[in-house]
PDB file of all heavy atoms in Angstrom:
ATOM      1  N   LEU A 241     -24.788  -2.845   5.800  1.00 94.00           N
ATOM      2  CA  LEU A 241     -25.588  -1.546   5.568  1.00 94.00           C
ATOM      3  C   LEU A 241     -26.531  -1.648   4.334  1.00 94.00           C
ATOM      4  O   LEU A 241     -27.542  -1.178   4.365  1.00 94.00           O
ATOM      5  CB  LEU A 241     -24.548  -0.422   5.432  1.00 94.00           C
ATOM      6  CG  LEU A 241     -25.201   0.937   5.251  1.00 94.00           C
ATOM      7  CD1 LEU A 241     -26.048   1.296   6.477  1.00 94.00           C
ATOM      8  CD2 LEU A 241     -24.028   1.957   5.037  1.00 94.00           C
ATOM      9  N   ALA A 242     -25.900  -2.071   3.210  1.00 93.00           N
ATOM     10  CA  ALA A 242     -26.833  -2.295   2.067  1.00 93.00           C
ATOM     11  C   ALA A 242     -27.920  -3.176   2.206  1.00 93.00           C
ATOM     12  O   ALA A 242     -29.045  -2.847   1.795  1.00 93.00           O
ATOM     13  CB  ALA A 242     -25.811  -2.792   0.817  1.00 93.00           C
ATOM     14  N   ASN A 243     -27.700  -4.306   2.977  1.00 92.00           N
ATOM     15  CA  ASN A 243     -28.769  -5.203   3.236  1.00 92.00           C
ATOM     16  C   ASN A 243     -29.769  -4.531   4.077  1.00 92.00           C
ATOM     17  O   ASN A 243     -31.021  -4.670   3.892  1.00 92.00           O
ATOM     18  CB  ASN A 243     -28.359  -6.484   3.883  1.00 92.00           C
ATOM     19  CG  ASN A 243     -27.382  -7.319   2.970  1.00 92.00           C
ATOM     20  OD1 ASN A 243     -27.663  -7.336   1.750  1.00 92.00           O
ATOM     21  ND2 ASN A 243     -26.726  -8.222   3.458  1.00 92.00           N
ATOM     22  N   LEU A 244     -29.344  -3.789   5.155  1.00 91.00           N
ATOM     23  CA  LEU A 244     -30.365  -3.044   6.006  1.00 91.00           C
ATOM     24  C   LEU A 244     -31.084  -2.123   5.112  1.00 91.00           C
ATOM     25  O   LEU A 244     -32.384  -1.898   5.380  1.00 91.00           O
ATOM     26  CB  LEU A 244     -29.612  -2.469   7.066  1.00 91.00           C
ATOM     27  CG  LEU A 244     -29.130  -3.366   8.220  1.00 91.00           C
ATOM     28  CD1 LEU A 244     -28.291  -2.701   9.219  1.00 91.00           C
ATOM     29  CD2 LEU A 244     -30.343  -4.063   8.928  1.00 91.00           C
ATOM     30  N   ARG A 245     -30.470  -1.256   4.307  1.00 89.00           N
ATOM     31  CA  ARG A 245     -31.183  -0.256   3.524  1.00 89.00           C
ATOM     32  C   ARG A 245     -32.155  -0.982   2.590  1.00 89.00           C
ATOM     33  O   ARG A 245     -33.258  -0.404   2.365  1.00 89.00           O
ATOM     34  CB  ARG A 245     -30.154   0.535   2.717  1.00 89.00           C
ATOM     35  CG  ARG A 245     -29.429   1.471   3.584  1.00 89.00           C
ATOM     36  CD  ARG A 245     -28.488   2.317   2.679  1.00 89.00           C
ATOM     37  NE  ARG A 245     -27.876   3.393   3.618  1.00 89.00           N
ATOM     38  CZ  ARG A 245     -26.835   4.143   3.254  1.00 89.00           C
ATOM     39  NH1 ARG A 245     -26.244   3.887   2.018  1.00 89.00           N
ATOM     40  NH2 ARG A 245     -26.317   4.948   4.046  1.00 89.00           N
ATOM     41  N   ALA A 246     -31.819  -2.139   1.987  1.00 88.00           N
ATOM     42  CA  ALA A 246     -32.752  -2.847   1.068  1.00 88.00           C
ATOM     43  C   ALA A 246     -33.867  -3.372   1.810  1.00 88.00           C
ATOM     44  O   ALA A 246     -34.992  -3.296   1.330  1.00 88.00           O
ATOM     45  CB  ALA A 246     -31.968  -3.961   0.526  1.00 88.00           C
ATOM     46  N   SER A 247     -33.807  -3.729   3.100  1.00 86.00           N
ATOM     47  CA  SER A 247     -34.752  -4.245   3.885  1.00 86.00           C
ATOM     48  C   SER A 247     -35.814  -3.115   4.333  1.00 86.00           C
ATOM     49  O   SER A 247     -36.984  -3.321   4.557  1.00 86.00           O
ATOM     50  CB  SER A 247     -34.358  -5.056   5.154  1.00 86.00           C
ATOM     51  OG  SER A 247     -33.911  -4.110   6.068  1.00 86.00           O
ATOM     52  N   ILE A 248     -35.366  -1.973   4.400  1.00 86.00           N
ATOM     53  CA  ILE A 248     -36.071  -0.851   4.793  1.00 86.00           C
ATOM     54  C   ILE A 248     -36.789  -0.351   3.556  1.00 86.00           C
ATOM     55  O   ILE A 248     -38.103   0.041   3.613  1.00 86.00           O
ATOM     56  CB  ILE A 248     -35.266   0.278   5.341  1.00 86.00           C
ATOM     57  CG1 ILE A 248     -34.790   0.055   6.659  1.00 86.00           C
ATOM     58  CG2 ILE A 248     -36.090   1.699   5.371  1.00 86.00           C
ATOM     59  CD1 ILE A 248     -33.861   1.026   7.278  1.00 86.00           C
ATOM     60  N   VAL A 249     -36.316  -0.344   2.446  1.00 74.00           N
ATOM     61  CA  VAL A 249     -36.945   0.086   1.085  1.00 74.00           C
ATOM     62  C   VAL A 249     -38.007  -0.939   0.701  1.00 74.00           C
ATOM     63  O   VAL A 249     -39.083  -0.551   0.366  1.00 74.00           O
ATOM     64  CB  VAL A 249     -35.852   0.352   0.087  1.00 74.00           C
ATOM     65  CG1 VAL A 249     -36.479   0.487  -1.208  1.00 74.00           C
ATOM     66  CG2 VAL A 249     -35.070   1.542   0.534  1.00 74.00           C
ATOM     67  N   ALA A 250     -37.720  -2.202   0.816  1.00 62.00           N
ATOM     68  CA  ALA A 250     -38.679  -3.221   0.294  1.00 62.00           C
ATOM     69  C   ALA A 250     -39.413  -3.736   1.516  1.00 62.00           C
ATOM     70  O   ALA A 250     -38.638  -4.549   2.307  1.00 62.00           O
ATOM     71  CB  ALA A 250     -37.898  -4.375  -0.432  1.00 62.00           C
ATOM     72  N   PRO A 251     -40.635  -3.418   1.706  1.00 59.00           N
ATOM     73  CA  PRO A 251     -41.318  -3.835   2.887  1.00 59.00           C
ATOM     74  C   PRO A 251     -41.623  -5.302   2.926  1.00 59.00           C
ATOM     75  O   PRO A 251     -41.786  -5.966   1.747  1.00 59.00           O
ATOM     76  CB  PRO A 251     -42.633  -3.127   2.963  1.00 59.00           C
ATOM     77  CG  PRO A 251     -42.756  -2.615   1.673  1.00 59.00           C
ATOM     78  CD  PRO A 251     -41.476  -2.581   1.033  1.00 59.00           C
ATOM     79  N   THR A 252     -41.759  -5.984   4.037  1.00 59.00           N
ATOM     80  CA  THR A 252     -42.147  -7.469   4.064  1.00 59.00           C
ATOM     81  C   THR A 252     -43.638  -7.595   3.766  1.00 59.00           C
ATOM     82  O   THR A 252     -44.375  -6.554   3.704  1.00 59.00           O
ATOM     83  CB  THR A 252     -41.944  -7.953   5.497  1.00 59.00           C
ATOM     84  OG1 THR A 252     -42.685  -7.195   6.401  1.00 59.00           O
ATOM     85  CG2 THR A 252     -40.483  -7.875   5.849  1.00 59.00           C
ATOM     86  N   PRO A 253     -44.224  -8.730   3.499  1.00 61.00           N
ATOM     87  CA  PRO A 253     -45.587  -8.974   3.063  1.00 61.00           C
ATOM     88  C   PRO A 253     -46.498  -8.281   4.170  1.00 61.00           C
ATOM     89  O   PRO A 253     -47.719  -7.895   3.888  1.00 61.00           O
ATOM     90  CB  PRO A 253     -45.755 -10.432   2.913  1.00 61.00           C
ATOM     91  CG  PRO A 253     -44.313 -10.909   2.574  1.00 61.00           C
ATOM     92  CD  PRO A 253     -43.422  -9.894   3.300  1.00 61.00           C
ATOM     93  N   SER A 254     -46.238  -8.371   5.420  1.00 59.00           N
ATOM     94  CA  SER A 254     -47.119  -7.788   6.399  1.00 59.00           C
ATOM     95  C   SER A 254     -47.073  -6.275   6.535  1.00 59.00           C
ATOM     96  O   SER A 254     -47.847  -5.738   7.219  1.00 59.00           O
ATOM     97  CB  SER A 254     -46.834  -8.453   7.786  1.00 59.00           C
ATOM     98  OG  SER A 254     -45.513  -8.026   8.221  1.00 59.00           O
ATOM     99  N   GLU A 255     -46.027  -5.755   5.952  1.00 55.00           N
ATOM    100  CA  GLU A 255     -45.840  -4.372   6.040  1.00 55.00           C
ATOM    101  C   GLU A 255     -46.846  -3.488   5.222  1.00 55.00           C
ATOM    102  O   GLU A 255     -47.232  -2.476   5.787  1.00 55.00           O
ATOM    103  CB  GLU A 255     -44.422  -4.091   5.429  1.00 55.00           C
ATOM    104  CG  GLU A 255     -43.775  -2.793   5.811  1.00 55.00           C
ATOM    105  CD  GLU A 255     -43.385  -2.575   7.302  1.00 55.00           C
ATOM    106  OE1 GLU A 255     -43.196  -3.679   7.937  1.00 55.00           O
ATOM    107  OE2 GLU A 255     -43.451  -1.562   7.830  1.00 55.00           O
ATOM    108  N   PRO A 256     -47.451  -3.860   4.117  1.00 56.00           N
ATOM    109  CA  PRO A 256     -48.345  -2.919   3.449  1.00 56.00           C
ATOM    110  C   PRO A 256     -49.577  -2.801   4.300  1.00 56.00           C
ATOM    111  O   PRO A 256     -50.124  -1.635   4.369  1.00 56.00           O
ATOM    112  CB  PRO A 256     -48.693  -3.775   2.133  1.00 56.00           C
ATOM    113  CG  PRO A 256     -47.595  -4.560   1.935  1.00 56.00           C
ATOM    114  CD  PRO A 256     -47.035  -4.850   3.254  1.00 56.00           C
ATOM    115  N   LYS A 257     -50.125  -3.659   5.100  1.00 57.00           N
ATOM    116  CA  LYS A 257     -51.258  -3.375   5.936  1.00 57.00           C
ATOM    117  C   LYS A 257     -50.932  -2.449   6.951  1.00 57.00           C
ATOM    118  O   LYS A 257     -51.744  -1.475   7.190  1.00 57.00           O
ATOM    119  CB  LYS A 257     -51.649  -4.731   6.583  1.00 57.00           C
ATOM    120  CG  LYS A 257     -52.161  -5.765   5.603  1.00 57.00           C
ATOM    121  CD  LYS A 257     -52.602  -7.039   6.392  1.00 57.00           C
ATOM    122  CE  LYS A 257     -52.942  -8.194   5.340  1.00 57.00           C
ATOM    123  NZ  LYS A 257     -53.069  -9.443   6.121  1.00 57.00           N
ATOM    124  N   ARG A 258     -49.760  -2.494   7.592  1.00 56.00           N
ATOM    125  CA  ARG A 258     -49.491  -1.492   8.659  1.00 56.00           C
ATOM    126  C   ARG A 258     -49.301  -0.051   8.068  1.00 56.00           C
ATOM    127  O   ARG A 258     -49.710   0.883   8.453  1.00 56.00           O
ATOM    128  CB  ARG A 258     -48.091  -2.005   9.365  1.00 56.00           C
ATOM    129  CG  ARG A 258     -48.289  -3.117  10.230  1.00 56.00           C
ATOM    130  CD  ARG A 258     -47.172  -3.440  11.008  1.00 56.00           C
ATOM    131  NE  ARG A 258     -46.001  -2.528  10.996  1.00 56.00           N
ATOM    132  CZ  ARG A 258     -44.882  -2.919  11.241  1.00 56.00           C
ATOM    133  NH1 ARG A 258     -44.547  -4.275  11.355  1.00 56.00           N
ATOM    134  NH2 ARG A 258     -43.805  -2.132  11.239  1.00 56.00           N
ATOM    135  N   MET A 259     -48.696  -0.099   6.834  1.00 55.00           N
ATOM    136  CA  MET A 259     -48.570   1.164   6.139  1.00 55.00           C
ATOM    137  C   MET A 259     -49.867   1.851   5.697  1.00 55.00           C
ATOM    138  O   MET A 259     -50.058   3.042   5.792  1.00 55.00           O
ATOM    139  CB  MET A 259     -47.618   0.983   4.865  1.00 55.00           C
ATOM    140  CG  MET A 259     -46.227   0.647   5.136  1.00 55.00           C
ATOM    141  SD  MET A 259     -45.329   1.755   6.110  1.00 55.00           S
ATOM    142  CE  MET A 259     -44.928   2.997   4.807  1.00 55.00           C
ATOM    143  N   LEU A 260     -50.844   0.953   5.313  1.00 56.00           N
ATOM    144  CA  LEU A 260     -52.095   1.467   4.884  1.00 56.00           C
ATOM    145  C   LEU A 260     -52.773   2.082   6.178  1.00 56.00           C
ATOM    146  O   LEU A 260     -53.475   3.072   6.057  1.00 56.00           O
ATOM    147  CB  LEU A 260     -52.824   0.359   4.211  1.00 56.00           C
ATOM    148  CG  LEU A 260     -54.290   0.714   3.851  1.00 56.00           C
ATOM    149  CD1 LEU A 260     -54.238   1.655   2.650  1.00 56.00           C
ATOM    150  CD2 LEU A 260     -54.934  -0.570   3.334  1.00 56.00           C
ATOM    151  N   LEU A 261     -52.776   1.388   7.341  1.00 55.00           N
ATOM    152  CA  LEU A 261     -53.246   1.790   8.528  1.00 55.00           C
ATOM    153  C   LEU A 261     -52.760   3.113   9.012  1.00 55.00           C
ATOM    154  O   LEU A 261     -53.464   4.040   9.445  1.00 55.00           O
ATOM    155  CB  LEU A 261     -53.180   0.728   9.658  1.00 55.00           C
ATOM    156  CG  LEU A 261     -54.050  -0.548   9.326  1.00 55.00           C
ATOM    157  CD1 LEU A 261     -53.663  -1.475  10.546  1.00 55.00           C
ATOM    158  CD2 LEU A 261     -55.546  -0.242   9.440  1.00 55.00           C
ATOM    159  N   LEU A 262     -51.405   3.202   8.860  1.00 56.00           N
ATOM    160  CA  LEU A 262     -50.711   4.556   9.173  1.00 56.00           C
ATOM    161  C   LEU A 262     -51.199   5.693   8.332  1.00 56.00           C
ATOM    162  O   LEU A 262     -51.376   6.765   8.769  1.00 56.00           O
ATOM    163  CB  LEU A 262     -49.255   4.304   9.202  1.00 56.00           C
ATOM    164  CG  LEU A 262     -48.584   3.423  10.307  1.00 56.00           C
ATOM    165  CD1 LEU A 262     -47.028   3.364   9.967  1.00 56.00           C
ATOM    166  CD2 LEU A 262     -48.780   4.150  11.699  1.00 56.00           C
ATOM    167  N   GLU A 263     -51.282   5.372   7.035  1.00 59.00           N
ATOM    168  CA  GLU A 263     -51.708   6.463   6.120  1.00 59.00           C
ATOM    169  C   GLU A 263     -53.132   6.899   6.410  1.00 59.00           C
ATOM    170  O   GLU A 263     -53.398   8.041   6.332  1.00 59.00           O
ATOM    171  CB  GLU A 263     -51.503   5.888   4.739  1.00 59.00           C
ATOM    172  CG  GLU A 263     -50.032   5.836   4.215  1.00 59.00           C
ATOM    173  CD  GLU A 263     -49.888   5.170   2.785  1.00 59.00           C
ATOM    174  OE1 GLU A 263     -51.084   4.973   2.191  1.00 59.00           O
ATOM    175  OE2 GLU A 263     -48.795   5.033   2.307  1.00 59.00           O
ATOM    176  N   GLN A 264     -53.931   5.974   6.552  1.00 61.00           N
ATOM    177  CA  GLN A 264     -55.357   6.294   6.985  1.00 61.00           C
ATOM    178  C   GLN A 264     -55.462   7.148   8.242  1.00 61.00           C
ATOM    179  O   GLN A 264     -56.158   8.045   8.309  1.00 61.00           O
ATOM    180  CB  GLN A 264     -56.263   5.020   7.102  1.00 61.00           C
ATOM    181  CG  GLN A 264     -56.492   4.350   5.812  1.00 61.00           C
ATOM    182  CD  GLN A 264     -57.227   2.969   5.985  1.00 61.00           C
ATOM    183  OE1 GLN A 264     -57.434   2.597   7.175  1.00 61.00           O
ATOM    184  NE2 GLN A 264     -57.668   2.476   4.953  1.00 61.00           N
ATOM    185  N   GLY A 265     -54.600   6.712   9.247  1.00 57.00           N
ATOM    186  CA  GLY A 265     -54.669   7.441  10.431  1.00 57.00           C
ATOM    187  C   GLY A 265     -54.177   8.909  10.341  1.00 57.00           C
ATOM    188  O   GLY A 265     -54.728   9.827  10.868  1.00 57.00           O
ATOM    189  N   SER A 266     -53.101   8.971   9.453  1.00 54.00           N
ATOM    190  CA  SER A 266     -52.560  10.492   9.326  1.00 54.00           C
ATOM    191  C   SER A 266     -53.435  11.230   8.408  1.00 54.00           C
ATOM    192  O   SER A 266     -53.714  12.466   8.603  1.00 54.00           O
ATOM    193  CB  SER A 266     -51.222  10.349   8.762  1.00 54.00           C
ATOM    194  OG  SER A 266     -51.200   9.772   7.506  1.00 54.00           O
ATOM    195  N   ALA A 267     -54.192  10.600   7.495  1.00 54.00           N
ATOM    196  CA  ALA A 267     -55.155  11.336   6.620  1.00 54.00           C
ATOM    197  C   ALA A 267     -56.304  11.809   7.503  1.00 54.00           C
ATOM    198  O   ALA A 267     -56.755  12.960   7.321  1.00 54.00           O
ATOM    199  CB  ALA A 267     -55.694  10.480   5.550  1.00 54.00           C
TER     200      ALA A 267
END
Side-chain angles (χ1 to χ4, degrees):
L241 180 62
N243 290 339
L244 287 173
R245 285 183 176 164
S247 69
I248 290 172
V249 170
T252 60
S254 64
E255 200 66 30
K257 292 177 187 176
R258 287 185 10 208
M259 294 297 284
L260 182 63
L261 291 173
L262 286 174
E263 288 174 3
Q264 287 175 353
S266 64

